Amino acid sequence: MTLVEDQVNLVEPGSFPVPLEINGRHRVVELEPRVSLLDALREHLDLTGTKKGCDQGTCGACTVWVDGRRVLACLTLAVASSGHQIVTIEGLADGDHLHPMQQAFIEQDAFQCGYCTPGQIMSAVKLIEEGNAGTEEDIREFMSGNICRCAAYPNIRAAIRQVRDAAGGGA
């Protein structure tokens, strides 16, 4: 049995409006159902702080928060994020006032090329909130999903300890 090309109906996904709550703002963007949250942020909403590193969920550069939890935006469909609160690195500061973790990264020189920095910061904030920054080993383990190709790890851990200790969460 041979299939003739005109007998096959291929259906391409079409775009449709996807409502998203990002950094406290309601946005509606026309997306195909297969668009990742990362691509929706960067390519459709011009929120380019979240970085595309590996696009396979192994480097952590695309870490954002969805309903207060760390999420890899490259592995999350944008349509699955509809109805949830999304926070990106652009939503972390309060106007011109940096989040304490952003300030600590500057003070501790916790970045070199800066490419991984947004994902590192988003993970680091949650690491402390989750109560997983008690020891140096805890910090290493719970930040292990965020890769820094420049190897700024000692400075990243110093920034995390600075914020943890200022919040009274030291070991």
Side-chain angles (χ1 to χ4, degrees):
M1 179 173 181
T2 307
L3 281 178
V4 178
E5 188 174 328
D6 63 355
Q7 291 177 324
V8 178
N9 287 331
L10 296 177
V11 178
E12 291 291 322
S15 295
F16 59 94
V18 178
L20 297 170
E21 296 292 329
I22 303 172
N23 301 328
R25 280 187 64 201
H26 180 73
R27 309 283 297 267
V28 178
V29 61
E30 290 281 329
L31 299 172
E32 291 183 352
R34 60 187 172 195
V35 172
S36 71
L37 179 56
L38 176 60
D39 288 340
L41 293 170
R42 291 185 58 80
E43 297 173 16
H44 297 274
L45 295 166
D46 292 326
L47 292 170
T48 57
T50 304
K51 302 302 183 208
K52 183 181 279 196
C54 65
D55 211 20
Q56 298 176 0
T58 59
C59 75
C62 66
T63 303
V64 298
W65 304 338
V66 176
D67 291 339
R69 296 182 62 214
R70 293 187 259 182
V71 169
L72 297 172
C74 72
L75 297 181
T76 305
L77 292 175
V79 296
S81 302
S82 184
H84 299 277
Q85 298 296 316
I86 302 160
V87 178
T88 68
I89 192 70
E90 290 92 346
L92 197 55
D94 183 12
D96 290 337
H97 182 68
L98 294 177
H99 184 279
M101 189 63 71
Q102 291 170 309
Q103 188 62 45
F105 264 63
I106 292 168
E107 291 171 10
Q108 295 295 332
D109 195 24
F111 50 88
Q112 289 179 21
C113 79
Y115 198 81
C116 72
T117 303
Q120 295 276 0
I121 289 172
M122 297 301 283
S123 272
V125 170
K126 286 301 172 185
L127 170 77
I128 293 171
E129 287 180 12
E130 294 160 357
N132 293 321
T135 67
E136 190 73 12
E137 293 76 28
D138 290 340
I139 294 169
R140 276 192 190 106
E141 176 66 26
F142 286 96
M143 289 295 291
S144 65
N146 290 84
I147 307 300
C148 174
R149 289 179 178 95
C150 300
Y153 297 115
N155 301 43
I156 292 168
R157 289 191 303 272
I160 293 169
R161 288 191 308 272
Q162 176 180 320
V163 175
R164 175 201 66 195
D165 295 349

